Every structure is written in C-alpha cells, then in structure tokens.
Amino acid sequence: MLINRKEKLIIGSSVCIIGLGILLYVSKEKIMEKLSNSPSLVMTYKESQSKKLKKEIEKKINDKNFNSIMNRLSMEKLEILKESLEFPEVVDALNTKDNSKYNSDRYFSPDVTQEEAVKIANISKGFGEIEVLSVEFKNYLSEKYPNFNYNEINKNENKIPDVLKIKDKVLKLFPDKEIADIIKTLNGEQLNKINNIIAGNAEVVSLMEFKEEDINNFKKYEEDFFNSRLILDDMKKAVATSKGIDEITLVSPKLKEIVDQHLKNIDYKKMSSFGEFYLLDKNSDIELEKQYREKYYTFETPFIKLNPYGRTPLSAIVKIENEAVGKDITITIEGKENSPDYTYKTKVKANGEIPIIGLYPKAVNKVSLKMNNNGMLKTKNIVIETSLIDDSLPAVVIEKKVDGSIEHGMNLVSFNTKDESLPFIFDSNANIRYLLIVSPVIKKSLLDRNERGNWEAVDDNLIFEFDILGKIVNIQDNNRIKLDENWKNGVLFRNNQYLPKKNNILIVYGFSDKAYPSGVFSEIGKDSGNELFKARLYYDKNSFEDNSILSGKRIELFQE
C-alpha cells in the first residue's frame, strides 16, 4: 500500500516523539542531576513553590506573628507546616483569641469527654510538629499557650484517659439505649462512682440490663427476704444488689428516673436502707441456734441471753426445753430503787423461748420463773446482770407522786437526739426499765405499740415494727402519722392521754428551756385538777433539735 507525503511526515514525527520519550526516561537520572546542579533553576522552583505554600497557609492562619515566622521557613519546612494544618482543630487553636481555654490538664481530667480528648490530641500532635520547624515557633507556642503542655499529651497519645475507658466499659455493660444516652452525658466523677458500684457486683449489672426474667427473680428474692425465707448468704447478696442499684440512682436524677421506670415493682430503696436490720437479726438467730445446740437446756438448767438482737439492753431471752412450748409461765423481776416487783404472764414461745423484760440497768437482776407444768407449779430463780445504758438519755427525776392516786403502768418516752432515736420506758420511781435502740438506721422516730403487742417506730416516711425483744418484724410506708411540731408559749407540747382507771389526764411536754432544758410527764386529776404525778426529764443539750420528746404515754410494759 502506497502512502502519501503527508502521512509519511506524521509517521516520522510520531516515531521521533516516541524515541525522545524513551531517551528521556532512560536518561532521567542524568538529566535531573544536571538540573539539580543548576542553582538558578532550583532557586526558581523553590521560590515558586514557597510562594504558593505561603499563600495557602496565610489563607488559613490570620495571626500576624505566626505568619511572620512562617515566612522565614524553607520550602521543605513549609510543606511540613502545611501537613500540620490539615486538622481543623489545629487551625482553630492558632486563630483563637482566647488562649486560656487550651489547658493540657483538661486532657487528663476525669471530666473530659471522648470528643474533647480526640480534639486535644489532634491539636497537640499539630503543635508538636510545628514546634520543631523553628526555635521561633517553639517560643511562639510556649508564650501563646502557657498552660498547654502538648508534648506531655503527645507522650501519652496512645493512652486514652481512664475516664474514657470507664465510659466505654459501662456502655458495654449497660445495653439499654436510654441508660446509654445518659451515661454518655456523665462527667468523670459520676462515671467513677458507677465503676466503683459495679466492681465485683455482677448482680447489679445483670439487673441493670432490665431483663424481665431477672426482674421477676429479684422480686421473688425480695419477698423471701422480708419474710425471712432466705439463707444468710442470699440475704447479703440481695442487700448488696439493692444498695448498688440505689447508689446508681443517686449518681444522676435521670438515671433514677429510668431505673425506677424499669424496676417499678422492686422496692430496692427499702432493702438498701433497712435490709441491715434483717441481716443483723438473721445473724443473731443463727448464733442463738448454735448456742441452743451446744447442750440440752431445761427449765432447771436454762440458757440465758441478754439483749439477743442487740437493740434491747434491758431485755433477755431464756431458753428451756422445747417440750414446754405453749405452757403458761409467770415472770417476776424483783424490785429495786424503791420500786415494787414487776410481774407479767405469757406462754413459752417456739424453741422453748421466754422473753424477759423490765430489767434494771447496771444491776444484778433477780428474776423468778413460775411455770404451770401439767397442773404442777415449777419455780426457777435466775440472775441476769446488765450494764450501763446510753449516757445521752435524759436524767429522770420524780418531782411529785401521790401513791394510790396515779394510773398503774410505766411511761413510754419517744426520745430523740440530733443523731439518734432512743425510745425508752421509765417506771414511777424514775428507773429506766426498757430501751429500744433503733439507731443508726432510724435517726428520728416516734414509738408506739400496735394491736399485736409489737413496737412501731414511726419516722416521716416509714413504720418499723419490732417485737418486744427488738427483732425486726415488718417495714411499711407511713400513711398514718405525721411528726408535727406543737409549740405553746415557748414549750413543746406533745400530747395528753386520758387514764380511765383513775380518771386522770397525762400531759407530756417535749421540750422547755425556761428553767433548764427538759421534758415533763405530768398526771393531773380530771375532776380535781390537782397534779398527782410529775416526772422531769433533764437533757444534756440546750436546744430542741439536740434533744426532745416526740411523744409520751402511760402503758403496760409487757403486752401481747
């Protein structure tokens, strides 16, 4: 095939271009070497590149001092600087007028968020790269950001602040979305609290997953707990779990709202606050059972335990043979300090137990037991020694007593200090004969007796029921009694009580400091108006808040 002249020229040109390309590729190293040895060409290239880089950097950074230093950098350093300004956080930091907000302590603070930590780390990395470009830049950064130790942060760039690790851990453990959203907003202190709460408490973590099966199981646990159907170890777990949940709700109101919504059928607050009562009593029961098994106790050789549940130091339990359960028994406490003998009747309880109450403090009490044994009267005399009682109790002084005219019984005093609730009972000769220690769990309470013969210690929110020996029986909401104040002419008037057998009125004054800080029990004849009995209770402290009587009344000490 013949080609014309024009085509020959095109083909020839193409071959030349291809040949030149091959030649340049093969000889590129020699060509570059020659170019690099040409100062004028190198200078021209670098000047062109430097101008371009400076313009790009000046568009980003509006700080004159920074740009002044930047303008003295070589092209190679300008290229490094350009890369250092890739993070928007670095550019923002260099352009800011408020330098004080850049503080390296924030990175290591327990309150730092993950977003903040990443931002601070990026700024630190950028500043670290800029610093090495020149001494002027190093001085510039140290002067402008005196509290920002970016080098220290860079040393720890691979170490996430502990609080972020904790947050990540908690978020993984609590999968509920509502809980997770709240966790993300918590500060370091709050996250540390949660971390400490859940440490070693798998039951809390499990319950916080809000699975229906777990919630129902714990509800059953709770019912068995308050009905004393759990073994001690399970009771401890239930209390620890409730305390953990309760403590978590105290970290944040929003957390409490979500927890209460999911655990609405579980009274974790009640068990958390007052489960210790039941744990202590369970321990006491276990200890009593151990002691009961040590030997065979009988009416003739009884087992005696003073203050068996740790709340009634003037009471005791006597254990005799189980075969005596249900038999009638009469207990007499020999009188002291001008008081007559105190006698009451009951039946031998389960496990052969007999409650002994009305003992004198710091005394060797002589107690007589008389049991009807199949028509035969058996008698046993025992001795029970007591110790001193709480010295914060008031000193009781009888100022007036008309024998034969006052109502029979003893005086129940709902005495409270600033820190303790110490209800007690004293007789007509000023001897304290019963004390129920409900502190430190209950800080302030009013004591009364219910129809079952048990004590009810009432605070503003709950009613705590104890038996005569101080064992916890029940806890319920207080929807009945309000602990209102009732002042008259500078005297705290508590209540009055009609005493029908003698047709008298007992008036109780909770606090007065007109002569000396004290409370008063005053029994007055309803018809005559004469004062027949007056007991003054002298307090240690001068203010009503530090010591006063919330309620007072005349009662029979033992009642079933």
Side-chain angles (χ1 to χ4, degrees):
M1 181 179 66
L2 297 175
I3 56 175
N4 58 34
R5 178 181 175 81
K6 183 177 180 181
E7 289 172 335
K8 288 180 180 179
L9 288 172
I10 292 172
I11 292 171
S13 299
S14 299
V15 171
C16 290
I17 291 171
I18 293 170
L20 180 61
I22 294 171
L23 179 64
L24 288 172
Y25 179 78
V26 172
S27 307
K28 66 177 181 178
E29 291 184 1
K30 292 181 179 180
I31 295 171
M32 291 301 294
E33 184 180 352
K34 289 182 179 181
L35 286 173
S36 64
N37 291 329
S38 174
S40 59
L41 288 174
V42 171
M43 184 64 68
T44 301
Y45 171 75
K46 287 186 175 181
E47 286 178 356
S48 175
Q49 283 297 103
S50 293
K51 287 180 181 179
K52 181 181 178 182
L53 290 169
K54 288 175 183 178
K55 286 182 179 180
E56 290 180 10
I57 293 170
E58 285 177 344
K59 286 181 180 180
K60 288 186 175 183
I61 307 300
N62 54 27
D63 186 285
K64 291 182 180 180
N65 293 330
F66 181 93
N67 288 332
S68 175
I69 300 170
M70 178 269 295
N71 279 317
R72 294 193 290 274
L73 296 181
S74 65
M75 182 199 73
E76 291 81 4
K77 290 185 177 181
L78 286 170
E79 288 176 340
I80 295 174
L81 179 58
K82 179 186 175 183
E83 291 178 2
S84 301
L85 298 177
E86 290 300 318
F87 288 115
E89 298 95 332
V90 177
V91 175
D92 291 342
L94 291 169
N95 285 327
T96 187
K97 293 181 180 180
D98 183 13
N99 306 333
S100 61
K101 67 181 181 180
Y102 293 97
N103 191 317
S104 52
D105 290 343
R106 182 62 182 166
Y107 182 78
F108 301 102
S109 167
D111 295 337
V112 70
T113 65
Q114 187 167 9
E115 182 180 356
E116 283 182 292
V118 171
K119 181 178 178 180
I120 294 170
N122 287 340
I123 295 171
S124 298
K125 183 178 180 181
F127 279 16
E129 292 173 351
I130 293 171
E131 177 192 75
V132 299
L133 297 179
S134 73
V135 174
E136 289 89 346
F137 262 142
K138 180 178 180 179
N139 294 335
Y140 167 85
L141 292 173
S142 63
E143 290 174 7
K144 187 173 181 180
Y145 309 94
N147 299 318
F148 193 60
N149 191 345
Y150 47 87
N151 285 323
E152 182 65 24
I153 294 173
N154 288 332
K155 289 178 184 177
N156 293 275
E157 64 176 333
N158 294 323
K159 298 179 182 178
I160 302 174
D162 288 342
V163 68
L164 299 183
K165 294 179 182 178
I166 293 172
K167 181 181 290 186
D168 184 59
K169 168 187 168 183
V170 174
L171 286 171
K172 289 177 181 177
L173 290 174
F174 296 165
D176 181 80
K177 184 181 182 304
E178 291 177 299
I179 292 290
D181 289 342
I182 296 171
I183 295 296
K184 292 174 184 177
T185 67
L186 300 182
N187 60 36
E189 182 181 356
Q190 291 171 312
L191 288 167
N192 274 319
K193 284 182 180 179
I194 292 179
N195 190 47
N196 291 334
I197 292 166
I198 63 178
N201 202 332
E203 289 81 7
V204 170
V205 175
S206 177
L207 200 55
M208 285 293 292
E209 292 178 8
F210 304 139
K211 294 178 182 176
E212 185 176 355
E213 181 181 359
D214 291 337
I215 293 173
N216 291 337
N217 287 340
F218 194 80
K219 177 62 179 175
K220 178 66 166 55
Y221 240 52
E222 184 181 72
E223 292 172 356
D224 290 343
F225 179 94
F226 288 114
N227 288 291
S228 300
R229 292 196 293 261
L230 295 180
I231 63 173
L232 183 60
D233 285 345
D234 287 344
M235 290 180 72
K236 289 179 179 178
K237 287 180 183 178
V239 171
T241 302
S242 295
K243 283 183 179 292
I245 297 295
D246 188 26
E247 289 169 1
I248 284 176
T249 65
L250 298 176
V251 170
S252 159
K254 291 183 179 179
L255 270 179
K256 177 173 172 44
E257 183 180 337
I258 299 301
V259 170
D260 287 348
Q261 177 184 330
H262 286 279
L263 304 182
K264 58 185 177 183
N265 294 322
I266 293 177
D267 198 348
Y268 64 85
K269 186 73 176 179
K270 176 180 173 181
M271 190 182 294
S272 169
S273 301
F274 311 111
E276 293 294 336
F277 273 141
Y278 291 83
L279 284 180
L280 290 171
D281 289 355
K282 187 71 172 182
N283 269 318
S284 297
D285 283 337
I286 291 172
E287 184 60 29
L288 283 172
E289 288 175 11
K290 287 180 181 177
Q291 292 173 323
Y292 289 171
R293 289 196 297 267
E294 288 178 357
K295 60 182 292 187
Y296 182 68
Y297 295 103
T298 66
F299 186 80
E300 288 75 22
T301 57
F303 167 82
I304 303 169
K305 176 77 171 181
L306 179 68
N307 194 11
Y309 294 99
R311 301 189 190 103
T312 53
L314 301 181
S315 302
I317 195 167
V318 170
K319 152 77 173 165
I320 61 175
E321 64 268 26
N322 289 350
E323 292 79 5
V325 172
K327 292 182 178 180
D328 293 328
I329 191 162
T330 301
I331 299 98
T332 299
I333 313 297
E334 185 179 279
K336 292 179 179 292
E337 307 295 334
N338 300 318
S339 291
D341 292 349
Y342 174 65
T343 299
Y344 61 96
K345 295 180 179 181
T346 185
K347 292 182 181 295
V348 179
K349 311 300 181 187
N351 296 319
E353 295 175 347
I354 304 167
I356 308 296
I357 63 169
L359 301 174
Y360 293 84
K362 197 185 178 183
V364 176
N365 292 268
K366 295 180 179 180
V367 181
S368 170
L369 307 176
K370 294 181 179 180
M371 184 174 69
N372 187 336
N373 186 33
N374 300 323
M376 295 181 60
L377 190 64
K378 297 176 66 175
T379 300
K380 176 65 179 179
N381 295 320
I382 60 175
V383 171
I384 303 176
E385 186 172 357
T386 56
S387 302
L388 283 170
I389 53 177
D390 199 311
D391 60 4
S392 61
L393 291 169
V396 183
V397 176
I398 305 300
E399 296 185 352
K400 188 172 186 177
K401 183 174 71 169
V402 179
D403 289 327
S405 298
I406 63 175
E407 188 90 357
H408 182 267
M410 297 190 190
N411 302 286
L412 171 62
V413 186
S414 294
F415 176 71
N416 290 265
T417 70
K418 190 174 184 178
D419 302 312
E420 295 182 286
S421 179
L422 293 168
F424 67 94
I425 296 171
F426 69 93
D427 63 22
S428 59
N429 288 298
N431 300 299
I432 293 179
R433 306 293 295 276
Y434 186 87
L435 173 63
L436 179 63
I437 301 172
V438 296
S439 299
V441 177
I442 306 173
K443 299 292 186 182
K444 182 179 181 181
S445 71
L446 179 156
L447 193 70
D448 206 347
R449 178 176 269 145
N450 62 24
E451 65 280 0
R452 293 180 292 277
N454 289 331
W455 300 119
E456 289 186 344
V458 182
D459 73 3
D460 287 320
N461 302 308
L462 296 168
I463 298 175
F464 303 83
E465 184 177 353
F466 300 90
D467 69 15
I468 194 69
L469 293 174
K471 182 178 180 179
I472 188 73
V473 175
N474 187 31
I475 301 175
Q476 58 182 306
D477 292 334
N478 176 16
N479 300 315
R480 296 187 275 126
I481 303 171
K482 298 300 178 185
L483 308 183
D484 296 328
E485 310 301 347
N486 186 8
W487 291 88
K488 291 183 179 179
N489 300 320
V491 177
L492 181 62
F493 172 78
R494 277 308 179 193
N495 51 277
N496 58 32
Q497 175 191 10
Y498 177 59
L499 306 175
K501 293 180 181 178
K502 295 293 184 179
N503 194 32
N504 295 336
I505 302 291
L506 178 67
I507 302 173
V508 178
Y509 301 93
F511 181 86
S512 172
D513 59 359
K514 290 186 175 180
Y516 190 91
S518 61
V520 172
F521 276 60
S522 176
E523 185 174 346
I524 298 173
K526 186 176 181 182
D527 294 331
S528 67
N530 295 328
E531 188 171 54
L532 306 172
F533 174 83
K534 185 176 184 179
R536 187 174 294 277
L537 289 71
Y538 289 94
Y539 303 142
D540 289 337
K541 303 292 180 65
N542 293 325
S543 71
F544 156 71
E545 291 80 10
D546 288 325
N547 33 218
S548 70
I549 298 170
L550 275 179
S551 177
K553 64 192 306 184
R554 185 72 49 78
I555 65 166
E556 290 295 335
L557 177 55
F558 185 84
Q559 180 181 321
E560 290 185 311

